[in-house]
């Protein structure tokens, strides 16, 4: 009888450990990114690409990838980091995507359109881009470089 009593508490202890937070070691907490400015704007027509950091933060690229803007997205939008296309929606019709108002990002997921409101928008400096792991901006070619390319071109 003593072995049965000892075995039962050991089994209960094992069940408690396996269902606790230790069983979720493989899952990562969503990262929290501190934004310094949240009311920057970018012209809607200049947005040319995006890089979803996770389901809460997406980087919008403007003017090629020379300018980058970090957008914080309202919760409830899932699988954004696996999307190949994303649209910036100018909700208030002023020609800009801002960190306030009714502007959003939208994407197609499982046959439906997900429309996710932008809560904050921050233009990223080069240091901030590096900190977030977003590539450096492409350098705009100078006029001297264009002249050299034409000289080397046998046309």
């Amino acid at each position: 009888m003593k072995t049965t009593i000892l075995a039962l508490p050991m089994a209960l202890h094992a069940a408690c450990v396996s269902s606790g937070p230790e069983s979720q070691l493989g899952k990562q907490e969503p990262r929290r990114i501190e934004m310094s400015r949240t009311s920057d704007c970018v012209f809607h027509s200049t947005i040319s690409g995006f890089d979803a950091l996770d389901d809460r933060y997406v980087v919008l690229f403007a003017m090629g990838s020379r300018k980058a803007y970090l957008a914080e997205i309202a919760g409830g939008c899932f699988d954004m980091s696996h999307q190949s296309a994303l649209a910036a929606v100018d909700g208030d019709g002023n020609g800009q995507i801002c960190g306030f108002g009714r502007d959003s990002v939208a994407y197609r997921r499982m046959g439906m359109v997900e429309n996710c409101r932008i809560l904050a928008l921050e233009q990223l400096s080069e240091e901030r881009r590096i900190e977030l792991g977003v590539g450096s901006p492409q350098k705009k070619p100078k006029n001297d470089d264009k002249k050299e390319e034409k000289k080397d071109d046998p046309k």
Side-chain angles (χ1 to χ4, degrees):
M1 188 68 176
K2 285 186 180 180
T3 55
T4 305
I5 293 172
L6 290 175
L8 184 59
M10 291 303 280
L12 288 175
H13 178 68
C16 291
V17 171
S18 65
S19 64
E22 292 85 4
S23 65
Q24 299 182 15
L25 289 176
K27 296 182 180 179
Q28 292 182 346
E29 295 268 335
R31 67 176 167 174
R32 180 74 182 135
I33 298 173
E34 295 296 325
M35 297 181 70
S36 61
R37 295 180 316 270
T38 58
S39 60
D40 288 345
C41 294
V42 58
F43 285 107
H44 183 260
S45 61
T46 63
I47 297 175
S48 58
F50 76 100
D51 183 9
L53 302 178
D54 57 24
D55 289 340
R56 179 97 186 197
Y57 297 97
V58 62
V59 176
L60 301 174
F61 294 105
M63 300 168 60
S65 65
R66 290 194 308 262
K67 291 188 178 184
Y69 296 83
L70 178 64
E72 182 178 2
I73 307 301
C77 289
F78 303 105
D79 228 12
M80 198 174 339
S81 58
H82 295 100
Q83 300 304 313
S84 59
L86 188 73
V89 180
D90 182 9
D92 49 10
N94 66 356
Q96 296 182 357
I97 302 298
C98 299
F100 52 86
R102 296 180 305 205
D103 300 331
S104 61
V105 293
Y107 58 95
R108 193 173 291 281
R109 181 176 171 255
M110 298 175 72
M112 297 175 16
V113 175
E114 297 286 337
N115 196 0
C116 311
R117 196 169 140 241
I118 296 174
L119 300 175
L121 191 71
E122 172 190 354
Q123 184 175 354
L124 298 177
S125 64
E126 192 165 344
E127 294 82 23
R128 185 86 161 116
R129 286 175 79 148
I130 292 168
E131 177 186 322
L132 293 173
V134 178
S136 295
Q138 294 176 350
K139 300 290 183 190
K140 187 175 179 181
K142 295 181 180 179
N143 290 337
D144 295 337
D145 295 339
K146 288 181 184 178
K147 289 177 185 176
E148 286 181 24
E149 287 177 13
K150 288 181 182 178
K151 288 180 184 176
D152 294 337
D153 193 9
K155 290 183 183 177

